[in-house]
Amino acid sequence: MKNINLIKKLKKRGLIKNITNEKKLIRKIKNENIKLYCGFDPTAESLHLGHLIPIICLKHFQKYGHIPVILIGGATSIIGDPTLKKKERKKLSKKQTNKYTKKIKIQINKILKDETNNKNLNIINNYTWFKNTKILNFLIKIGKYFSINNMINKDFIKKRIKNINHGISFSEFSYNLLQSYDFYKLNKKHNVILQIGGADQWGNMISGIELIKKINKKKTFALTVPLLTKSNGEKFGKSEKQNIWLDEKKTSPYKFYQFWMNINDKEIYNLLKIFTFMKISKIKLLIKKNKKHEKKNIVQSILAKKITTMIHGEKNTKIAENITKILFHKKIKNITKKNIEQLKQGGIAHIKIKNNENINLTEILIKIKLTTSKTQARKIIISNAIMINNKKQKNTEHIIDKSEKLFNKYTIIKKGKKKHFMIIWQ
């Protein structure tokens, strides 16, 4: 397996944006199992889709015997990474970062668990070496290797300096030193020789390589994954202006599954290459067959199943699949209470209405914020675009009756092909 050119393979899958000393790195990973790392600052209680790409890149290395190390930025998250930020982010407390760290560790462990030898993943927190670092020692030992001229010439630093309203604080300006020091410490203590990160981290990663070369006198490498965008240039990983999170409490397994089911055909080939471990030849064949037979959403369902299983497990994926079949393909009467519960937890929008509220369908559409006026609501209903429990309803004055209340409590309103809303009767 070591004879495989892993870098070439990752490039074909669209997982590499930039890479240092490519030929030497290829030789290195062909001849030995290396240690590589990726850092994550715990600035939120969950990772999102943007974080998933470097993790998948780590998993590819892991599959070929290389050893991934995860660095949690318990210290750097308190400072805040200024990269691509227009202003200084809100400062986090140590208590917050500890809480976020625990949740992020669980998510990463779940994806990167090594099934071949069942060893725990090596997760290190940079707070362990920064908490006792004295400022004078740090500046004397590390600061002398960094040129202010080079640092202020970085694009994102230039933009922040020119920003009259916000500018950049010295603490944020020092982030470059801190991330470089992380790589230096991991190289010295754990023999980590490759850093993986987002394309926006390239400058910080190069600084780390140079620092190690000056102090440790060792050759190290950096590899960035691309910032994934849609074919229209929009940032990938957001739905209705919200992040798609890996935490099921923030984005339910059903909603996560549906995000992938709604992927445009133009995007599907690229996403199967990046987010799954299917052979490229098999992906091409799959898409070719799908076009030939014109089977709707077959490829999307494969993508959705594979990624949802990786993040949320088989059980949650089966529930998401079942709900999808019921809401889009089968009779709504087959829905179970378990299905309803998952929908309530974030699968579809829901509102509570009192049983004694004698409101018609027109008023309900306004109440669930599908429209703001009665005129518009009536037009939507008359156009045959509204379904109650998967049955079309064209009567604008229709009042939901007992037979339309699932388990005497729930009614599902559908607008068009994809929008679902749930009424919870009280």
Side-chain angles (χ1 to χ4, degrees), residues 138-320:
F138 184 77
L139 292 175
I140 292 167
K141 185 179 178 181
I142 304 300
K144 66 179 181 178
Y145 292 110
F146 288 81
S147 165
I148 292 293
N149 299 50
N150 291 337
M151 291 173 74
I152 61 174
N153 277 325
K154 294 181 187 296
D155 287 339
F156 67 91
I157 296 290
K158 281 181 181 178
K159 287 177 184 177
R160 287 287 295 274
I161 289 173
K162 288 178 182 177
N163 190 324
I164 300 170
N165 296 322
H166 300 290
I168 185 167
S169 66
F170 176 75
S171 58
E172 280 187 304
F173 186 69
S174 69
Y175 192 93
N176 181 229
L177 277 75
L178 304 182
Q179 186 171 326
S180 301
Y181 189 71
D182 285 340
F183 198 179
Y184 156 75
K185 290 290 284 187
L186 290 173
N187 177 254
K188 188 179 179 181
K189 285 195 169 187
H190 301 277
N191 197 31
V192 173
I193 66 164
L194 171 63
Q195 181 179 179
I196 287 179
D200 58 318
Q201 295 298 315
W202 182 249
N204 291 335
M205 294 162 80
I206 296 299
S207 295
I209 287 174
E210 290 172 354
L211 182 65
I212 292 166
K213 187 179 179 181
K214 289 170 184 175
I215 303 178
N216 291 352
K217 311 296 181 187
K218 290 182 179 180
K219 184 68 183 174
T220 50
F221 308 87
L223 181 160
T224 63
V225 296
L227 177 66
L228 200 60
T229 55
K230 298 178 185 177
S231 55
N232 61 5
E234 288 180 8
K235 190 176 180 181
F236 178 83
K238 293 193 174 185
S239 174
E240 296 178 2
K241 297 180 182 178
Q242 292 183 346
N243 274 321
I244 299 299
W245 301 95
L246 305 190
D247 186 336
E248 63 180 78
K249 290 180 181 177
K250 291 175 75 67
T251 300
S252 73
Y254 167 75
K255 192 173 180 181
F256 187 87
Y257 182 89
Q258 279 301 310
F259 173 81
W260 300 103
M261 286 296 292
N262 289 316
I263 292 294
N264 191 295
D265 286 341
K266 291 179 182 178
E267 324 284 348
I268 199 77
Y269 173 67
N270 192 34
L271 299 181
L272 277 166
K273 285 196 304 175
I274 289 172
F275 287 100
T276 77
F277 297 88
M278 291 173 67
K279 289 182 178 180
I280 293 177
S281 57
K282 191 176 180 181
I283 294 171
K284 286 179 178 177
L285 186 64
L286 181 68
I287 290 173
K288 190 178 178 181
K289 282 183 177 179
N290 190 61
K291 283 180 180 177
K292 189 178 179 180
H293 298 291
E294 293 182 351
K295 290 182 179 179
K296 249 184 174 182
N297 286 341
I298 293 296
V299 183
Q300 279 85 348
S301 65
I302 291 169
L303 176 65
K305 183 176 182 177
K306 285 185 177 293
I307 303 178
T308 309
T309 302
M310 179 168 60
I311 303 302
H312 295 297
E314 287 184 17
K315 186 180 177 182
N316 282 325
T317 302
K318 283 178 181 177
I319 292 171

